[in-house]
Amino acid sequence: MRRRALITGISGQDGSYLAEFLLEKRYEVHGIVRRSSTDGFQRIKHLEGEITLHQADLLDQQSLTRVIEQVRPQELYNLAAQSFVPTSWEQPLLTGEFTALGVARVLEAIRLVDPNIRFYQASSSEMFGKVLEEPQNEKTPFWPRSPYGVAKAYGHWITVNYRESYGLFACSGILFNHESPRRGLEFVTRKVTDGAARIKLGLEETLELGNLAAMRDWGFAGDYVQAMWMMLQQESPDDYVIATGEKHSVQQLVELAFERVGLDWQEYVEMDSQLVRPAEVQTLCGDARKAGQQLGWAPQVDFQKLIHMMVDADVARISHQIQVNESVGASTFF
Ligand code: NAP
Ligand code: GDD
């Protein structure tokens, strides 16, 4: 019998990579999506017919319980969240509802429907915030610096609490930033790779950025979804940091991306103080030794390879769109 997995947030970056990975492992893959008035789900279009989608929302307890009852998965990956940090200052309450209480709703549904379901929670290095040590590991105390980070800290602890209170097989993966050509355009890596490609192809003249000195530990999303699955295959549930152990500044990211398209970044990048956050996470760097030793996990794609992959994908995508527009005589590009 094929194992069944249910993924919340299947239409997001990680959801799409995890769905592909689980299909390769011969899982029956189900996903939760929100109803939309437009034809969305671009990241999982290519999986049509191979996965089953169900409508539910992290805000709606009944809808979550109903889908879990229908699917009866052996594994549930909770990837859905309001995941963009700046939006969490604009919509702190909604971020708390989705990103914090949403986790408790999924756990409650599991507890009531089938406490044997193995649960993965998408926790975040953003919880370390104003870091108290470097590199950060599973024992490093949290000091979140955004409503998003605070909400993720609740999600982490409620996962630990349901494990300790009810004996659920519940794991919290504390993942550091991970990126890909499917990354949302508002996150800094994709904003930079898309921006460099647009400037190279003559569609834009400048790129506005905020804090160039911020440092992150950036890995490849395709590597990180494997760690999620590995956590749920262990004998007992636990929490793991997933990271590359290397950090780079936003400026280094910009240099690398512009160099890839043969441009000098200093001629195009402008500072926009509006993009600086009310409270910044200045630096993050993870220590994933526990995941290495216990799960056998290691990242495969390094920083340079990741940024080159993203720039090349954006150049190819935009060039193709320009050609399509030219062939139909369209004068605007979007
Ligand atoms: P993403 O691309 O922003 O995807 C988020 C997903 O959540 C989307 O499928 C979105 O659906 C869904 N969603 C949002 N609100 C929902 C709601 N109320 N009900 C149901 N679904 C909802 O995020 P990602 O980069 O794949 O990240 C996956 C998870 O890992 C998130 O929880 C994120 O916070 C966490 N995380 C990410 C990173 C990273 O660097 N990528 C690092 C650590 C932790 P729509 O398509 O309808 O918007
Ligand atoms: N988005 C963005 N846009 N960030 C910028 C910009 C800009 O124009 N200019 C500088 N930055 C800096 C931010 O201030 C931040 O320090 C860094 O680039 C990374 O920003 P994001 O790519 O937006 O990611 P994040 O680190 O805030 O959050 C991501 O990683 C978390 C894990 O640490 C998200 O994926 C979260 O969902 C995830 O939990």
Side-chain angles (χ1 to χ4, degrees):
M1 257 264 286
R2 287 175 79 187
R3 287 181 71 72
R4 262 187 316 280
L6 177 61
I7 305 172
T8 75
I10 195 167
S11 58
Q13 171 188 257
D14 290 6
S16 67
Y17 281 105
L18 180 62
E20 283 170 1
F21 176 78
L22 293 174
L23 285 170
E24 274 168 28
K25 292 231 165 271
R26 303 281 309 131
Y27 274 69
E28 186 181 311
V29 177
H30 296 254
I32 282 180
V33 291
R34 300 188 278 183
R35 191 250 160 201
S36 165
S37 67
T38 53
D39 181 21
F41 314 141
Q42 285 308 319
R43 295 184 180 103
I44 47 172
K45 268 254 167 314
H46 61 294
L47 301 179
E48 229 167 48
E50 292 184 76
I51 57 177
T52 310
L53 300 181
H54 306 261
Q55 277 185 16
D57 198 297
L58 287 178
L59 295 182
D60 187 332
Q61 178 75 59
Q62 301 289 3
S63 68
L64 296 168
T65 308
R66 181 178 40 75
V67 173
I68 294 172
E69 259 168 0
Q70 279 171 1
V71 176
R72 297 302 291 256
Q74 283 89 30
E75 296 171 16
L76 194 157
Y77 297 84
N78 183 38
L79 309 187
Q82 190 303 94
S83 74
F84 190 47
V85 172
T87 296
S88 75
W89 278 284
E90 307 289 332
Q91 300 181 338
L93 301 183
L94 192 67
T95 300
E97 285 287 350
F98 285 10
T99 305
L101 286 178
V103 187
R105 292 191 188 97
V106 177
L107 284 164
E108 267 299 279
I110 287 180
R111 189 173 74 82
L112 295 172
V113 175
D114 178 4
N116 291 317
I117 295 171
R118 294 187 169 205
F119 175 76
Y120 172 85
Q121 167 57 16
S123 290
S124 165
S125 52
E126 185 73 12
M127 300 186 300
F128 296 122
K130 193 170 179 180
V131 296
L132 291 168
E133 64 180 337
E134 184 167 286
Q136 299 83 51
N137 62 37
E138 293 80 4
K139 294 199 164 67
T140 304
F142 300 151
W143 189 336
R145 297 270 283 168
S146 62
Y148 168 83
V150 174
K152 281 289 178 187
Y154 174 91
H156 170 81
W157 284 117
I158 200 72
T159 300
V160 173
N161 181 261
Y162 270 56
R163 181 166 79 215
E164 293 177 354
S165 303
Y166 304 114
L168 294 191
F169 194 110
C171 299
S172 172
I174 305 174
L175 271 52
F176 282 62
N177 299 50
H178 46 279
E179 320 291 315
S180 73
R182 298 182 198 165
R183 185 59 142 154
L185 283 164
E186 68 274 43
F187 297 92
V188 75
T189 50
R190 189 73 200 290
K191 184 173 172 182
V192 168
T193 61
D194 177 73
R198 282 171 184 272
I199 292 170
K200 177 68 182 176
L201 295 166
L203 296 174
E204 305 280 350
E205 290 176 355
T206 56
L207 175 65
E208 283 78 36
L209 292 172
N211 180 10
L212 293 186
M215 304 199 85
R216 289 291 183 276
D217 178 335
W218 280 295
F220 172 52
D223 289 343
Y224 284 39
V225 299
Q226 300 192 12
M228 299 174 186
W229 175 79
M230 286 169 161
M231 287 179 214
L232 296 199
Q233 313 313 310
Q234 302 306 301
E235 272 185 18
S236 50
D238 208 340
D239 308 321
Y240 298 89
V241 159
I242 301 297
T244 70
E246 257 186 48
K247 65 177 180 177
H248 299 271
S249 66
V250 173
Q251 182 170 321
Q252 286 173 306
L253 152 71
V254 169
E255 286 167 8
L256 196 55
F258 277 76
E259 188 184 80
R260 183 68 171 174
V261 293
L263 297 176
D264 176 1
W265 70 276
Q266 297 192 70
E267 291 176 24
Y268 305 96
V269 173
E270 292 175 359
M271 163 81 183
D272 180 349
S273 58
Q274 304 268 25
L275 294 168
V276 175
R277 299 174 180 186
E280 176 65 292
V281 172
Q282 199 56 39
T283 182
L284 288 174
C285 187
D287 171 359
R289 273 179 300 175
K290 179 176 168 185
Q293 285 157 11
Q294 294 186 21
L295 305 179
W297 180 84
Q300 303 301 316
V301 177
D302 69 12
F303 179 62
Q304 175 167 314
K305 200 166 158 195
L306 171 67
I307 301 307
H308 285 176
M309 177 205 304
M310 293 174 69
V311 171
D312 294 351
D314 278 320
V315 169
R317 178 182 56 85
I318 297 169
S319 304
H320 173 72
Q321 191 63 50
I322 290 172
Q323 277 174 7
V324 170
N325 281 11
E326 281 172 358
S327 69
V328 296
S331 58
T332 53
F333 181 85
F334 55 90

